[in-house]
């Protein structure tokens, strides 16, 4: 079942959760995985860039969770995994993105506290650099220095999507049944 939704819109998030319940009878797992990075310090970040970063990187997880948590609470079980970033844990010149992803970590911890007794496990992953199309293009264009980046990662390589997906899968699975409110870095030692 595929449901297309603009997750910046409350009504569409509510409809998305309702579509999952209609198709499957419940919601077992929610992965909040959306991200839009932008460069900028506190001085040169515009208000529009700030608002956009918080809207896309934080508000979306709030809205999806707002409608999924009651369904999970009703059945007394569920797992939510929020995809944050190591940018939330250290400075890297992406103020608005870092703030939004830091807010996602705070939201993770608070949701774990507030809904853990309802059987809902809420955790986060904080990836380092991931070899996405955008990062690879930044290497090709020279916007990012691949050699310098690799030298800062003790594992000697940039993560691929499977590295992050495996961490999310673990936290969403019953193998992580006693892990609540945790932030798992997936950064090859970069952070």
């Amino acid at each position: 079942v595929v449901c297309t939704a603009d997750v910046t819109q409350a009504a569409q998030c509510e409809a998305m959760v309702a579509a999952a319940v209609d198709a499957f009878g419940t919601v077992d797992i929610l992965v909040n995985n959306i991200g839009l990075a932008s460069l900028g310090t506190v001085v040169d970040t515009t208000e529009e860039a700030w608002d956009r970063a918080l809207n896309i990187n934080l508000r979306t997880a709030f809205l999806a969770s707002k409608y999924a948590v009651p369904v999970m609470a009703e059945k007394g079980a569920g797992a939510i995994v929020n995809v944050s970033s190591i940018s939330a844990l250290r400075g890297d010149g992406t103020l608005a993105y870092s703030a939004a992803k830091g807010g996602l970590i705070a939201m993770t911890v608070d949701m774990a506290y507030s809904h853990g007794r309802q059987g809902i496990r809420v955790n986060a992953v904080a990836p380092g650099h991931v070899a996405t199309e955008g990062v690879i293009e930044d290497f090709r264009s020279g916007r990012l220095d691949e050699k310098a980046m690799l030298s800062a990662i003790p594992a000697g390589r940039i993560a691929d999507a499977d590295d992050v997906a495996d961490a999310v899968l673990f936290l969403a699975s019953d193998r992580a049944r006693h892990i609540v409110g945790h932030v798992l870095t997936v950064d090859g030692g970069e952070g």
Side-chain angles (χ1 to χ4, degrees), residues 13 16 57 85 91 116 123 146 165 176 181:
C13 285
M16 175 183 69
N57 295 301
S85 170
N123 293 289
E146 183 175 9

Side-chain angles (χ1 to χ4, degrees), residues 5-147:
D6 177 348
V7 291
T8 66
Q9 302 300 311
Q12 291 191 39
C13 285
E14 185 175 23
M16 175 183 69
V17 170
V21 172
D22 287 346
F24 304 108
T26 191
V27 174
D28 296 310
I29 298 166
L30 172 64
V31 178
N32 288 309
N33 179 28
I34 189 167
L36 176 68
S38 58
L39 294 174
T41 68
V42 71
V43 174
D44 55 29
T45 297
T46 65
E47 290 178 53
E48 293 79 18
W50 175 266
D51 291 343
R52 184 172 182 197
L54 268 67
N55 190 44
I56 290 173
N57 295 301
L58 184 57
R59 184 175 196 265
T60 56
F62 160 72
L63 290 174
S65 299
K66 179 176 182 61
Y67 297 105
V69 164
V71 174
M72 293 176 175
E74 185 177 310
K75 72 173 191 158
I80 298 174
V81 182
N82 294 318
V83 180
S84 182
S85 170
I86 62 165
S87 294
L89 305 173
R90 61 166 175 79
D92 64 2
T94 59
L95 176 77
Y97 176 77
S98 297
K101 291 299 188 172
L104 189 55
I105 289 173
M107 192 173 102
T108 297
V109 172
D110 192 80
M111 287 173 56
Y113 173 82
S114 298
H115 302 289
R117 294 193 189 280
Q118 295 172 308
I120 303 169
R121 293 180 296 102
V122 185
N123 293 289
V125 296
H129 288 94
V130 179
T132 62
E133 289 179 19
V135 169
I136 292 166
E137 179 54 36
D138 285 346
F139 289 152
R140 287 186 188 125
S141 70
R143 285 187 296 268
L144 285 176
D145 183 340
E146 183 175 9
K147 186 175 181 180

